[in-house]
Amino acid sequence: MRHFPPLLLLAWLLAMPGPALAELRGEDPTEAMVRHIAKDLRCAVCQNQSVYESNSDLAKDMLNVIRAKVAAGEQETAIRDYFFQRYGDYIYLEPTTQGMNTLLWSAPFIGLGIGGLALWLAMRQWRKRANENVKPVPTHAAMQERIQKELDQLRM
Amino acid sequence: MWIEIAHFSTLIALMLAGLMLIAPWIGLRWQRMVWIRVARQAAFMICALLTLASAGLIASFLKHDFSVQYVAEHASLKLPVFYLATAMWGGHEGSLLLWAWMLSLFVAIAAWKHWNTHPVSMPWVLSINGGLLLGFLLLVVFLSSPFERLLSPPPDGRDLNPLLQDPGMVFHPPFLYMGYVGFAIPYAFAMAALITSQGDSEWILATRRWTLFSWAMLTIGIVFGAYWAYYELGWGGYWAWDPVENASFMPWLTGLAFLHSVMVQERRRMFKTWNLFLIITTFALSLLGTFLVRSGVLSSVHAFATDPGRGVYILMFMSALLLFSFGLLTAKSDQLRETPKLESPWSKEFSFLINNLFLVAGACTVLLGTLYPLAVETLSTAKVSVGAPYYNKVFIPIMLGMLALMGLGPLIPWQRASLAKLRQEFLPAGIIGLIGMLVAPLVGVTHPSGAIATGLILFVGATHLKDLLRNIKTRMSRESLSAPGAFLRLVTRNKRRYGGMLVHLGTLVMVAGFVGSGLFQEERDLFLAKGDSMRIGSWSLTLESMDKTARRNWQADEAVIRAERPGEATLMLRPQKRVYSEHSQPTTEAAIHSSWREDLYVVLGDGVKDGVWAFRIYRTPLVSWIWIGSGIMVVGVFWAMLQGRRLQRRAD
């Protein structure tokens, strides 16, 4: 092959099908940002999928809108706001931490704290009870006699 | 013809369920044993009749009887036989029948197995299950009947949803339902114990295998669902915190809490009310799971309004069940009043209680996240979404706490431990865990929960290993056995304990899978033409060609991708984009190369222009560990189930 004139080599390469012409494709550099934004936006017609994960036409359109905006150099917050203006809170998969939502975010930990406190207080009681000396109850003489009698019978 | 047989046998089963509900009452009221035997025979009859009904529905599918509305809506002439036979649970109506059928089967087994051993509880167990069957069959017969005929049958059916034409989706519902339904038996035993005021531990011992079995089935069902979502939905993930998934996860969590806390009752006769509360909650959540998922209430308030009759009935059924169960629990609480004594918070008893606290808090979090959008939508005009990011931030920390507790499990003694003893037990494992936690960020696990999870995996693994090695050593010296012999003796003599340890081991493997797949997934979105290559991780992928392919009821575009990696054999991956003949929406068939290290996952997107196609490619480390871990978990549960009742007697 070394003897081939350069031009012929080029022609030969061009004529070869497939892999020889292979081009290493990379991802569009903005795509990571697109993904980052699209993963936290809800596909508005799906049950519970993000714009990034959904296969629906609307999600694809929304993804393209995000792509165009990222390509145009818009900031993440601006793009998120754009969708917020149109769909409201609903569009964010991660609920905001404002208003009623503070309850949503804090309730699990408050519950855990209250539960832990209750357990601790209960534990103190249970412990006190366990450590109290168990005093023998004085038995009635007649009862004592009967117990003894039955025990004797058992031994036979 | 077949469908009429199915319909009539369901109707007779419905009447027998009514009989089963009432007969034990009559028998107990007038002291006539024969009525209790009647209820027992009714249980067997219902099982036979519902088996016939399900067979009738399946037969209608196999015969392509499109005059049956349910068949016309969920099958077609081209649908392969395997999916025809299983399309019975492809829709709401049929899956409710499947539920009732499984319940009748379990009730029959319980009536057969426990008849002689639990004569006092049995009438009530029968009556309560009769009530449950009645409730379900009323729904099946009157509000969501799969037996409706169409006046003018279509020549061909509308076909099964393509997403459901997949083995994963065939096995997912029956296992999930077996889990849900299985909890009905312990629930009925618990209620019977409450009614007859013998609320001691008898019901727990009687139903130990039932709860283990149900929990195992629920695990299998959930994992099947996750696996199906992973390879069928083409989004590279397996768990989306979808309301549907959450609904099955909640009873799993409370059921797990129950499995732990009953041990305290068996051993120390404490927390009877709490255990009753947990089993009632678990079964109620199982019902909630079935109903809310299948009626579509959770996805949107509006779906509820489309069929008000069904929705109102479901609400009433749930309320009746909750009122009855918790009402009874409250009414009987005086008799159950106990004075628990715990010597020390440094005890197994108390660690189980904290375990319960975390699991119940976890279940409440999932419930809150699932119902919150519904509540907001009902109370105001606003709409909110609670998606995966919420659960990742709130639920994961709670479960990390849970994981840390798991490490205490095997080494912490019952009753009381001195601090010196605890230090001796946990110091080495704690140091190992701490080192793991600190080293993890240096080897790339920079996310805080990833680093914490890594440390905890090591900690838990170390405590379990320490316990195992110590017990092997004791046996070796006591019974002069070789190490493998001692190990075998150990795990076969105490199946329950080592089954539990195996479940813990499975959990660790799964957590590693969650960390790997959740934090280290790589994705690429790009366009490829024939001959183009791309790189992801150490893989290099080349699009060899684009083909067209077809099967009986679908045709597809198929990409042929050559995947190479230094030092490994070349792979051919063939992701497809399918269009089923009866459906317009295309579905994606991801091509997945799975190995223990990582999965390579290729999704074919849309064709852009002449020969250029969109691709989405994922490299997900350790994802197969999740499936392996869950397998280990299930084996562990079954191992624990093999344990007879010897252990409990000794514990008394």
Side-chain angles (χ1 to χ4, degrees):
Chain A
M1 255 201 280
R2 209 179 296 152
H3 310 292
F4 280 11
L7 256 178
L8 203 61
L9 177 65
L10 189 67
W12 180 75
L13 273 178
L14 279 173
M16 244 186 61
L21 262 184
E23 200 176 332
L24 191 65
R25 294 278 172 176
E27 195 177 55
D28 193 290
T30 59
E31 203 60 29
M33 177 54 101
V34 171
R35 201 152 46 216
H36 174 70
I37 297 171
K39 273 190 174 176
D40 191 35
L41 293 180
R42 185 198 184 107
C43 154
V45 295
C46 309
Q47 256 213 18
N48 190 38
Q49 280 182 307
S50 72
V51 167
Y52 180 68
E53 283 145 6
S54 170
N55 261 330
S56 75
D57 292 332
L58 181 79
K60 283 177 191 163
D61 291 343
M62 288 171 77
L63 196 60
N64 283 333
V65 171
I66 300 172
R67 277 207 181 104
K69 286 183 178 293
V70 171
E74 279 190 42
Q75 290 302 305
E76 182 188 343
T77 46
I79 300 173
R80 279 171 62 89
D81 270 348
Y82 169 86
F83 285 101
F84 178 75
Q85 297 297 327
R86 275 159 185 73
Y87 296 98
D89 266 347
Y90 182 67
I91 206 69
Y92 295 144
L93 275 175
E94 177 169 341
T96 57
T97 47
Q98 288 148 8
M100 272 254 282
N101 289 359
T102 39
L103 200 69
L104 175 73
W105 282 101
S106 55
F109 299 106
I110 293 175
L112 209 55
I114 292 176
L117 194 68
L119 259 185
W120 189 252
L121 291 176
M123 184 64 223
R124 277 176 41 171
Q125 263 223 306
W126 296 334
R127 197 175 185 178
K128 211 160 67 185
R129 220 180 271 147
N131 295 343
E132 269 169 14
N133 290 327
V134 187
K135 287 182 198 134
V137 185
T139 334
H140 202 268
M143 184 62 99
Q144 190 81 48
E145 206 170 308
R146 196 178 147 191
I147 291 173
Q148 195 54 50
K149 219 166 106 189
E150 284 183 5
L151 276 174
D152 290 345
Q153 272 176 348
L154 266 178
R155 270 180 212 138
M156 294 186 342
Chain B
M1 167 50 185
W2 270 106
I3 204 70
E4 274 72 34
I5 293 176
H7 199 170
F8 285 132
S9 39
T10 310
L11 278 174
I12 300 170
L14 171 76
M15 286 184 270
L16 285 175
L19 180 67
M20 201 176 142
L21 171 71
I22 297 164
W25 296 57
I26 301 173
L28 288 177
R29 175 73 182 74
W30 283 285
Q31 294 296 314
R32 294 279 165 86
M33 259 301 276
V34 66
W35 282 97
I36 296 161
R37 279 204 291 274
V38 162
R40 185 185 186 221
Q41 296 305 327
F44 297 145
M45 291 282 288
I46 294 171
C47 178
L49 286 164
L50 290 182
T51 307
L52 186 63
S54 305
L57 187 57
I58 292 171
S60 306
F61 270 103
L62 291 174
K63 292 171 102 67
H64 295 119
D65 187 353
F66 298 124
S67 68
V68 179
Q69 189 182 357
Y70 187 70
V71 176
E73 278 170 5
H74 296 95
S76 70
L77 289 171
K78 284 183 183 163
L79 190 67
V81 178
F82 178 60
Y83 296 114
L84 267 181
T86 53
M88 173 197 169
W89 51 85
H92 170 75
E93 290 84 355
S95 42
L96 281 182
L97 180 64
L98 177 71
W99 215 102
W101 176 29
M102 283 183 170
L103 180 58
S104 72
L105 187 69
F106 286 6
V107 172
I109 293 172
W112 168 52
K113 293 283 284 183
H114 300 296
W115 177 256
N116 287 324
T117 50
H118 297 84
V120 184
S121 306
M122 193 41 75
W124 298 106
V125 171
L126 288 171
S127 178
I128 287 162
N129 279 310
L132 290 174
L133 278 167
L134 183 68
F136 258 89
L137 291 176
L138 281 173
L139 187 60
V140 169
V141 169
F142 294 108
L143 290 163
S144 74
S145 170
F147 313 117
E148 296 293 322
R149 287 271 193 191
L150 289 169
L151 283 177
S152 49
D156 195 357
R158 270 196 258 158
D159 202 17
L160 189 63
N161 183 341
L163 292 178
L164 304 185
Q165 295 187 30
D166 181 278
M169 226 19 179
V170 167
F171 296 117
H172 167 63
F175 278 106
L176 205 57
Y177 285 10
M178 268 195 266
Y180 285 163
V181 172
F183 282 119
I185 307 296
Y187 163 78
F189 267 96
M191 293 325 275
L194 262 182
I195 295 170
T196 55
S197 304
Q198 33 146 18
D200 270 345
S201 306
E202 188 52 28
W203 70 276
I204 282 180
L205 299 185
T207 58
R208 194 175 69 82
R209 284 189 176 150
W210 284 103
T211 33
L212 282 172
F213 171 80
S214 311
W215 191 78
M217 291 299 122
L218 205 52
T219 309
I220 296 175
I222 291 172
V223 172
F224 260 128
Y227 189 53
W228 168 79
Y230 177 66
Y231 74 78
E232 179 65 23
L233 295 186
W235 55 288
Y238 42 84
W239 188 263
W241 293 103
D242 188 271
V244 177
E245 296 166 336
N246 293 351
S248 61
F249 192 39
M250 288 185 278
W252 188 89
L253 287 169
T254 55
L256 186 56
F258 177 79
L259 286 178
H260 284 97
S261 77
V262 286
M263 286 188 247
V264 183
Q265 185 172 344
E266 281 177 28
R267 180 74 85 134
R268 303 286 314 269
R269 303 262 174 274
M270 280 187 282
F271 312 125
K272 294 169 194 162
T273 319
W274 175 245
N275 286 326
L276 285 162
F277 170 82
L278 276 182
I279 194 67
I280 295 171
T281 307
T282 304
F283 182 60
L285 287 171
S286 297
L287 273 188
L288 191 80
T290 322
F291 281 153
L292 296 198
V293 169
R294 281 304 181 180
S295 61
V297 184
L298 279 179
S299 56
S300 147
V301 184
H302 305 109
F304 201 35
T306 52
D307 192 349
R310 202 181 281 174
V312 168
Y313 178 82
I314 285 169
L315 263 185
M316 279 168 50
F317 188 77
M318 283 289 301
S319 325
L321 181 104
L322 289 175
L323 273 177
F324 166 71
S325 313
F326 288 117
L328 199 62
L329 189 61
T330 320
K332 293 275 183 174
S333 62
D334 278 352
Q335 290 174 23
L336 289 169
R337 184 151 299 155
E338 55 190 339
T339 44
K341 291 175 185 170
L342 279 189
E343 289 77 5
S344 160
W346 305 109
S347 62
K348 198 163 262 177
E349 293 91 321
F350 198 65
S351 79
F352 278 145
L353 284 181
I354 303 175
N355 147 306
N356 276 210
L357 173 68
F358 276 84
L359 283 171
V360 171
C364 288
T365 306
V366 178
L367 187 68
L368 178 70
T370 313
L371 295 183
Y372 185 78
L374 207 66
V376 169
E377 203 174 336
T378 317
L379 297 176
S380 68
T381 50
K383 278 177 93 180
V384 291
S385 303
V386 178
Y390 169 78
Y391 295 98
N392 290 344
K393 284 187 181 161
V394 176
F395 185 79
I396 288 179
I398 298 177
M399 282 304 112
L400 285 176
M402 193 58 224
L403 193 60
L405 277 175
M406 211 168 90
L408 304 184
L411 292 184
I412 199 162
W414 290 93
Q415 293 208 340
R416 183 200 297 267
S418 70
L419 282 176
K421 171 96 172 136
L422 284 176
R423 196 177 305 128
Q424 182 202 332
E425 292 280 47
F426 290 106
L427 199 62
I431 290 172
I432 291 173
L434 205 63
I435 291 173
M437 211 175 284
L438 294 174
V439 169
L442 304 179
V443 294
V445 190
T446 45
H447 193 282
S449 31
I452 294 171
T454 312
L456 287 178
I457 290 173
L458 290 172
F459 169 65
V460 178
T463 60
H464 280 64
L465 195 66
K466 178 173 173 153
D467 177 73
L468 183 68
L469 290 178
R470 182 168 52 200
N471 288 338
I472 287 178
K473 246 180 229 159
T474 325
R475 282 220 175 234
M476 277 167 73
S477 62
R478 214 170 47 194
E479 296 166 40
S480 57
L481 286 162
S482 65
F487 173 74
L488 271 180
R489 181 70 62 90
L490 200 62
V491 296
T492 49
R493 280 293 164 83
N494 201 342
K495 301 193 184 74
R496 186 179 187 182
R497 182 184 168 94
Y498 289 95
M501 301 267 270
L502 203 54
V503 175
H504 286 182
L505 178 69
T507 313
L508 293 188
V509 175
M510 279 180 97
V511 172
F514 293 142
V515 172
S517 61
L519 298 176
F520 296 96
Q521 189 177 52
E522 258 188 277
E523 314 131 280
R524 297 273 188 284
D525 287 88
L526 36 69
F527 300 108
L528 297 177
K530 193 176 158 187
D532 285 349
S533 298
M534 61 83 62
R535 262 177 212 292
I536 186 163
S538 55
W539 291 97
S540 100
L541 272 58
T542 310
L543 178 60
E544 292 274 305
S545 64
M546 287 297 305
D547 300 342
K548 293 227 180 261
T549 175
R551 282 284 185 290
R552 205 165 150 196
N553 62 343
W554 52 262
Q555 46 186 334
D557 288 304
E558 185 179 86
V560 180
I561 288 183
R562 197 179 69 230
E564 291 161 302
R565 180 153 71 164
E568 261 181 60
T570 305
L571 296 168
M572 285 298 174
L573 297 171
R574 297 167 195 275
Q576 292 177 342
K577 201 173 174 64
R578 277 186 201 171
V579 179
Y580 282 76
S581 44
E582 308 296 328
H583 303 268
S584 55
Q585 186 77 24
T587 66
T588 56
E589 293 291 316
I592 306 170
H593 170 68
S594 203
S595 73
W596 69 272
R597 253 190 301 174
E598 61 186 21
D599 275 20
L600 186 62
Y601 188 109
V602 182
V603 184
L604 176 61
D606 295 324
V608 191
K609 54 177 191 273
D610 43 279
V612 181
W613 289 77
F615 284 88
R616 185 172 287 172
I617 295 148
Y618 299 90
R619 190 183 69 87
T620 317
L622 304 190
V623 67
S624 50
W625 289 42
I626 297 169
W627 324 126
I628 296 166
S630 60
I632 297 174
M633 224 174 188
V634 171
V635 171
V637 185
F638 278 109
W639 189 248
M641 267 171 74
L642 291 177
Q643 175 88 52
R645 290 177 63 177
R646 180 180 58 86
L647 201 68
Q648 287 96 37
R649 290 222 188 88
R650 202 179 59 190
D652 284 350

